[in-house]
Amino acid sequence: METSGKGYPDFVQAIKGVVAKIPQGKVATYGQVAQYAGHIGKAREVGRVMSRIGGAEDLPCHRVVNQKGTLAPEFVFGGEQIQRVLLESEGVQFLEDGRINMSRSLWSEDEQISLF
DNA sequence: CGCCTGACAGACT
DNA sequence: TAGTCTGCCAGGC
């Protein structure tokens, strides 16, 4: 294997590429992003990359949520309420539970090709 | 160099 | 339906 760490940087770039192409009104889970990035099973690493950029990049991290339809604690990017406002502003539907309507707003890579 | 933590996910009870 | 445990992988101490 490559003595130098070449795989991880590529992994990070792949994730940023996937997240960056999530359309408005849609959300994707960490597992999906990891899968589309070509690294299935690394959902945690996706979240780790997000926390590392902290929104410094052009990545719509508020569109990346977990399978529960919720997002990380407020200290992540400014507050869970911020996420809701941003997503609702983009057309994402929310449930009374304060969670995202996954079945409705969950993004698919194929969808951004066929629809829209 | 080893242990613990973590923006997660999926399966089991 | 909800709560609990394990698996994965990298970073921090």
Side-chain angles (χ1 to χ4, degrees), chain A residues 76-92:
Chain A
V76 177
F77 67 96
E80 298 179 66
Q81 292 298 328
I82 304 299
Q83 177 207 16
R84 178 163 181 164
V85 173
L86 288 169
L87 294 176
E88 285 191 306
S89 183
E90 294 180 351
V92 177

Side-chain angles (χ1 to χ4, degrees), chain A residues 10-19 30-40 46 109:
Chain A
D10 175 69
F11 172 52
V12 175
Q13 292 299 321
I15 292 173
K16 294 199 296 186
V18 174
V19 176
Y30 295 94
Q32 282 188 297
V33 174
Q35 183 177 349
Y36 297 151
H39 293 262
I40 306 176
V46 175
E109 191 182 52

